[in-house]
Amino acid sequence: SPDQMFPDRNVFQNLSRQNRQKKYLVGVSGGLDSMVLLQSLHDAGFRKLVICHFDHGLRPSVKEQSLVEAVGRRMELPVEFGMAQTRLHAKIEGLSIEAAARDLRYRFFEACAKHHRCPRIFLAHHADDQIETILLNIFRGSGVSGLAGMRHESTIGKLTVLRPFLPLTREQITDVAKNLRIRFVEDPTNASPAHTRNRIRHQLIPVIRDVVGPSYRPALLRLAEIASFEDDFVTSQVPEITETLSTSTLRSLPPALRRRLVMSWLRTHGVHEPGLSEVKSVLSLLDGPTAKINLPQNVHARRRAGIIFLEC
């Protein structure tokens, strides 16, 4: 039965919540995780899948593209290919390579969603990705939402992102690949120390494992679960996001909700990955002498007559 194909019961439960008759996008790089996800979805009865493969232009990727194309033909599924020059985008926008790659990848996914009129996408993030994300967010000085890590279901732009593999470890996914004889292409950049996430994976986590023991993994995943519940509660208390911000409304809110409102407002209006510094800049308009502050990508926030608004 389909529930026996997954090494963790929660994965089957995550998938069983989805309507197998609907169309879904699925992000497939050609690597281990995404190839196992694609095969698992197909075996579980998801037939209206659109495979989305994106080449970041960071290295030769002919093998991945050929594999994804071949699997798409075998499964009789449409395949969308996209490509962009990540390094150039990073330079123009002043982003890290990792942030630029993510930005371009999600733009591609959104374009696929629009073309296929399908706002839902499956991605293959798993428990080890989650732990790396939590650690990254801790060292960025993140708030509760960062400690919650990735969600099983979240909204990014106009996309609903589904991550059924979050309960699975990398070892479990590797076992599935071996048992089902799933072909994949190993990404050589996964071992490169150039990327912060890779250094966390290959240098920091082994030290944590040596110091704390194997309990570090369930402990961090438990932290994410607790933080996600608390984050949901705080989010539920935030006033509705509107086109502008009222200074009187902001002053009336406790600091936690005030910051959360500004963060949500910036995200809603397209400010790229706003952080605490951007939020503090906007809040400085409440009482400071300055009536205008600069934000990323040539966006400005301005205060006039008790109202804060954005302009380009």
mmCIF file of all heavy atoms in Angstrom, residues 55 63 67 140 148 198 204 223 229 244-245 259:
data_model
loop_
_atom_site.group_PDB
_atom_site.id
_atom_site.type_symbol
_atom_site.label_atom_id
_atom_site.label_comp_id
_atom_site.label_asym_id
_atom_site.label_seq_id
_atom_site.Cartn_x
_atom_site.Cartn_y
_atom_site.Cartn_z
ATOM 1 N N ASP A 55 18.369 25.551 -13.953
ATOM 2 C CA ASP A 55 19.827 25.566 -14.027
ATOM 3 C C ASP A 55 20.306 26.945 -13.572
ATOM 4 O O ASP A 55 19.997 27.954 -14.202
ATOM 5 C CB ASP A 55 20.260 25.288 -15.473
ATOM 6 C CG ASP A 55 21.775 25.329 -15.662
ATOM 7 O OD1 ASP A 55 22.494 25.576 -14.671
ATOM 8 O OD2 ASP A 55 22.230 25.122 -16.806
ATOM 9 N N LYS A 63 24.251 16.611 -17.277
ATOM 10 C CA LYS A 63 23.834 15.311 -16.749
ATOM 11 C C LYS A 63 22.479 15.403 -16.059
ATOM 12 O O LYS A 63 21.602 14.557 -16.255
ATOM 13 C CB LYS A 63 24.886 14.774 -15.770
ATOM 14 C CG LYS A 63 26.170 14.309 -16.423
ATOM 15 C CD LYS A 63 27.123 13.754 -15.373
ATOM 16 C CE LYS A 63 28.430 13.281 -16.005
ATOM 17 N NZ LYS A 63 29.383 12.796 -14.978
ATOM 18 N N LEU A 67 18.973 13.620 -17.295
ATOM 19 C CA LEU A 67 18.282 12.676 -16.414
ATOM 20 C C LEU A 67 16.839 13.102 -16.189
ATOM 21 O O LEU A 67 15.912 12.287 -16.297
ATOM 22 C CB LEU A 67 19.019 12.570 -15.077
ATOM 23 C CG LEU A 67 18.367 11.679 -14.013
ATOM 24 C CD1 LEU A 67 18.237 10.242 -14.498
ATOM 25 C CD2 LEU A 67 19.151 11.738 -12.698
ATOM 26 N N ARG A 140 22.132 34.247 12.212
ATOM 27 C CA ARG A 140 21.724 35.516 11.610
ATOM 28 C C ARG A 140 21.027 36.408 12.640
ATOM 29 O O ARG A 140 20.651 37.534 12.340
ATOM 30 C CB ARG A 140 20.751 35.253 10.447
ATOM 31 C CG ARG A 140 21.414 34.718 9.192
ATOM 32 C CD ARG A 140 20.360 34.286 8.189
ATOM 33 N NE ARG A 140 20.949 33.814 6.951
ATOM 34 C CZ ARG A 140 20.339 32.993 6.096
ATOM 35 N NH1 ARG A 140 19.108 32.555 6.365
ATOM 36 N NH2 ARG A 140 20.941 32.616 4.985
ATOM 37 N N ALA A 148 11.575 28.613 13.764
ATOM 38 C CA ALA A 148 10.587 27.642 13.281
ATOM 39 C C ALA A 148 11.055 26.952 12.010
ATOM 40 O O ALA A 148 10.529 25.909 11.632
ATOM 41 C CB ALA A 148 9.243 28.341 13.040
ATOM 42 N N ASN A 198 26.970 24.828 3.313
ATOM 43 C CA ASN A 198 27.857 23.667 3.221
ATOM 44 C C ASN A 198 28.835 23.610 4.393
ATOM 45 O O ASN A 198 29.161 22.533 4.899
ATOM 46 C CB ASN A 198 28.636 23.696 1.899
ATOM 47 C CG ASN A 198 27.758 23.349 0.710
ATOM 48 O OD1 ASN A 198 26.628 22.889 0.879
ATOM 49 N ND2 ASN A 198 28.262 23.572 -0.481
ATOM 50 N N LEU A 204 30.407 22.427 10.953
ATOM 51 C CA LEU A 204 29.798 22.739 12.250
ATOM 52 C C LEU A 204 29.004 21.565 12.815
ATOM 53 O O LEU A 204 29.162 21.208 13.992
ATOM 54 C CB LEU A 204 28.896 23.964 12.120
ATOM 55 C CG LEU A 204 28.145 24.367 13.394
ATOM 56 C CD1 LEU A 204 29.122 24.697 14.521
ATOM 57 C CD2 LEU A 204 27.218 25.548 13.125
ATOM 58 N N LEU A 223 12.663 22.118 18.756
ATOM 59 C CA LEU A 223 12.711 23.579 18.851
ATOM 60 C C LEU A 223 11.909 24.215 17.714
ATOM 61 O O LEU A 223 11.117 25.141 17.939
ATOM 62 C CB LEU A 223 14.159 24.065 18.794
ATOM 63 C CG LEU A 223 14.388 25.571 18.594
ATOM 64 C CD1 LEU A 223 13.897 26.352 19.803
ATOM 65 C CD2 LEU A 223 15.868 25.858 18.333
ATOM 66 N N PHE A 229 4.551 26.863 16.513
ATOM 67 C CA PHE A 229 3.264 27.108 17.181
ATOM 68 C C PHE A 229 3.222 28.533 17.749
ATOM 69 O O PHE A 229 2.208 29.237 17.616
ATOM 70 C CB PHE A 229 3.032 26.094 18.304
ATOM 71 C CG PHE A 229 2.696 24.711 17.820
ATOM 72 C CD1 PHE A 229 3.413 23.610 18.260
ATOM 73 C CD2 PHE A 229 1.654 24.509 16.921
ATOM 74 C CE1 PHE A 229 3.110 22.336 17.811
ATOM 75 C CE2 PHE A 229 1.336 23.233 16.468
ATOM 76 C CZ PHE A 229 2.074 22.140 16.907
ATOM 77 N N THR A 244 -0.525 51.165 3.377
ATOM 78 C CA THR A 244 0.346 52.054 4.159
ATOM 79 C C THR A 244 0.297 51.653 5.633
ATOM 80 O O THR A 244 -0.549 50.852 6.043
ATOM 81 C CB THR A 244 -0.112 53.516 4.026
ATOM 82 O OG1 THR A 244 -1.455 53.627 4.523
ATOM 83 C CG2 THR A 244 -0.060 53.979 2.566
ATOM 84 N N LEU A 245 1.195 52.233 6.428
ATOM 85 C CA LEU A 245 1.209 52.001 7.867
ATOM 86 C C LEU A 245 0.812 53.278 8.597
ATOM 87 O O LEU A 245 1.286 54.364 8.254
ATOM 88 C CB LEU A 245 2.609 51.586 8.327
ATOM 89 C CG LEU A 245 3.135 50.220 7.880
ATOM 90 C CD1 LEU A 245 4.590 50.057 8.309
ATOM 91 C CD2 LEU A 245 2.287 49.092 8.443
ATOM 92 N N ARG A 259 7.022 45.090 15.401
ATOM 93 C CA ARG A 259 8.067 44.612 14.482
ATOM 94 C C ARG A 259 7.506 43.619 13.475
ATOM 95 O O ARG A 259 7.851 43.634 12.297
ATOM 96 C CB ARG A 259 9.207 43.960 15.275
ATOM 97 C CG ARG A 259 10.069 44.954 16.033
ATOM 98 C CD ARG A 259 11.190 44.256 16.773
ATOM 99 N NE ARG A 259 12.109 45.232 17.372
ATOM 100 C CZ ARG A 259 13.177 44.907 18.071
ATOM 101 N NH1 ARG A 259 13.482 43.634 18.260
ATOM 102 N NH2 ARG A 259 13.957 45.844 18.577
#
